[in-house]
Amino acid sequence: MGDSLNKRENWNGLIGFILAGAGSAVGLGNVWKFPYITGMNGGGAFVMIYLCCIVLIGLPLMLCEIAIGRKTQKNPFGAFRALHPEKTKVAVFFGVAMLLCGVSLLILGSYGMGIMLVLGGAAVITWGWAAVGALGVLIPVLIISYYNVVGGWTLIYAVESLVRGGALADAQFTDAHFGVVASSWKYSLAGTGIFSIFVLLTVWFGVSKGIERVSKVLMPLLVLMLIALIIRSVTLPGSTEGISFLLTPHFGKLTAAGVLEALGHAFYTLSLGMGIVITYGSYLPKERNILGASIWIIILDTTIALMAGLAIFPALFAVGMAPEAGPGLVFKIMPVTLHSFGDGLGALWCFLFFGLLFIAALTSSISLLEVPVAFCMDQLKWRRRTAAGVSFIVISVLSLLSVFGAANWENILWAKDAIIKLMGESHLCGSFFDQMDIFCSNYLLPLSGLLTSLFAAYVWKSRNCLAELRQGAGNIWDTSIWLAIAGLRGDEHVPGRNQVIFTPTLLFGIFIRIFAPIAIIICFMNVIGWINLT
Ligand code: PHE
């Protein structure tokens, strides 16, 4: 059974863990979403709200996930199981209730929801809380199947920006070309195939020899590429408008919906609720400081998101393009923008931009693949290479659906029919690709995030979570925040200095037990339209 019987792999150093964690956090969302929602929701004002969400909700959740992983040294499923092996009556009650609801829905003809509830109910009855861990393994498998397709496009565009010469400078050509790339399965298949092999190879070599090594090279490279693009972008005539779009605070533009957008993005960008952070945390040795590492990951993620904004928006405004988000921005608008600088280096800027996107997508995909691989190694006792190979094959088969259904349903009409039968016409989205993204990001992720936070806070209990966080963290957790702010830590003349009044420990407990679950519930209700904030 080879290496599966050996002791658990570890990160070589804290920097490796931080860079791998940041590699997972820094993804397409940082480039095509964050800058846009920032500009549209009041620039600097939005950044402040976003920082609050990241620190008050994102950080505590991240700490919980890393603590769950490091405590158990297992994949998400194994971790939940190890922390709560007993099947409680409450779990069985919930499972049976889900099962009954599911059966009723099936009888009433609501097949999609019915099947999900029956499967979910059966999982809860069989595994109890470990069903949440199972969800944490399933989500990355689903996400990677379409994320790799976008990764493939970044690769195709990076190569094309060099070989196609100035063709990408032409707005009409670029507009039509993205349609061709997305709807011709040959392009997507080639791109996705090569991209997936990069992901597979990294995971194949293991935690320290693969993931850590690759992150240590690629993350600094990504930052350098961003810096080059920023310097070019902000020195263009007319770029200041773009900088002010991104950074000038407009409190009037900030809406309740904007605040929820900040919250949702904070959650997504840190790769929470996907089992990734639990898995990466499981490779962290006990003597390492989880709090310090998490703060670094968050700083890197936020800084890189802001830097992406500074690379994109000043350039857009300088050449007179309208701000946008998503694939349209990166694959249609950006190539034209990067060719319009008038310095004759369009192809080079384009190559840099897509190379950067490729790295961002690659390190995120790597973190996604590592989750099912860790699951197979821990639970099924497979060797890493077998686990990686089998996960790769399963994911590649799933990817085919996104490859053939990236732009529209034409090539996979049977899947369209199946979705209409299962979910009803009203739930059908633009393409299979959109369908998967909405299902995973809007439904599965918040659900898994909410259950994970409730588990850490109430089932495993915040005090046990804290006990794990304290290991390797010195006495940071119990320092009085007031005394630290006032610069009076350790001053023996301060009366009551030993009284613990306001410490990170208290803050963590309160946020993880109360605010984080409430915040996720509100976010969830907002994305699925149960509350309608403007
Ligand atoms: N954090 C990523 C981002 O900002 C989200 C993500 C991570 C998506 C890993 C997929 C895989 O884009």
Side-chain angles (χ1 to χ4, degrees), residues 255-261 521-534:
T255 56
V259 174
L260 284 189
E261 183 111 61
I521 290 174
I522 296 178
C523 249
F524 186 42
M525 298 208 305
N526 182 49
V527 279
I528 62 176
W530 286 1
I531 50 173
N532 218 338
L533 295 175
T534 46

Side-chain angles (χ1 to χ4, degrees), residues 167-181:
L168 291 172
D170 180 48
Q172 246 174 344
F173 170 81
T174 311
D175 199 41
H177 188 58
F178 181 58
V180 174
V181 171

Side-chain angles (χ1 to χ4, degrees), residues 272-283:
L272 297 169
M274 302 188 198
I276 292 175
V277 181
I278 297 183
T279 308
Y280 274 15
S282 74
Y283 303 125

